[in-house]
Amino acid sequence: MASTSMSTVLFLLLATFAAGASAATFTVKNNCSSTVWPAAIPVGGGTQLDPGQTWTVDVPAGTTGRFWGRTNCSFVGGNGHCGTGDCAGALNCTVSGQPPTTLAEFSLGGGSAGGNQDFYDMSVIEGYNLPMAFSCSTGVGLVCTSPTCPAACLFASDDCRVHACSSNSNYQVIFCP
């Protein structure tokens, strides 16, 4: 009986430690004067944000993904269409959005540093549709307000704008900073 209780306590402690060490919180805010439909893959899907609203997404360590904003959307239920960033007509995205899309890209707990670093960047390789800011709580803030954004990756082999921050950091994505 005592060993079962001890095993349960040990399991709960390990699960708590793993949960605390395995997620980053992404807070997405719409500072635009019109509605934006942010999307995220492989975790998050998508939602509607009216001006001033925020959306919070918890993303597990080991995840590589992206956030982007969709504009001029119309949905009935979970199906519809967006003028930019459309992801196969779904509100809850499971595929990347159609260009043009300003992207906030990330890789959590990856790379050669043994999982102690996250990597992030902004990209306009697939086009530009919204001004965006992307920041890590322990790294530099990136702001992109034009298609020729100096803070963003501009072409496929452009690695000079990838940034690192500590694992278990939190992130902020702001549309129309």
Side-chain angles (χ1 to χ4, degrees), residues 22-112:
S22 66
T25 299
F26 285 75
T27 302
V28 182
K29 184 171 184 184
N30 178 10
N31 275 351
C32 300
S33 60
S34 60
T35 301
V36 173
W37 289 262
I41 59 169
V43 177
T47 194
Q48 174 182 329
L49 286 183
D50 292 325
Q53 289 185 320
T54 59
W55 177 42
T56 303
V57 180
D58 290 324
V59 180
T63 301
T64 297
R66 56 180 42 178
F67 281 82
W68 70 96
R70 298 173 288 171
T71 62
N72 302 314
C73 299
S74 175
F75 291 102
V76 176
N79 298 308
H81 178 74
C82 296
T84 65
D86 189 68
C87 53
L91 174 62
N92 192 12
C93 297
T94 58
V95 297
S96 290
Q98 290 294 308
T101 53
T102 309
L103 299 174
E105 301 174 315
F106 62 89
S107 182
L108 302 180
S112 61

Side-chain angles (χ1 to χ4, degrees), residues 145-169:
T145 58
S146 75
T148 58
C149 177
C153 297
L154 303 173
F155 48 90
S157 62
D158 190 4
D159 290 332
C160 63
R161 294 173 184 92
V162 174
H163 301 276
C165 63
S166 301
S167 287
N168 299 320
S169 295

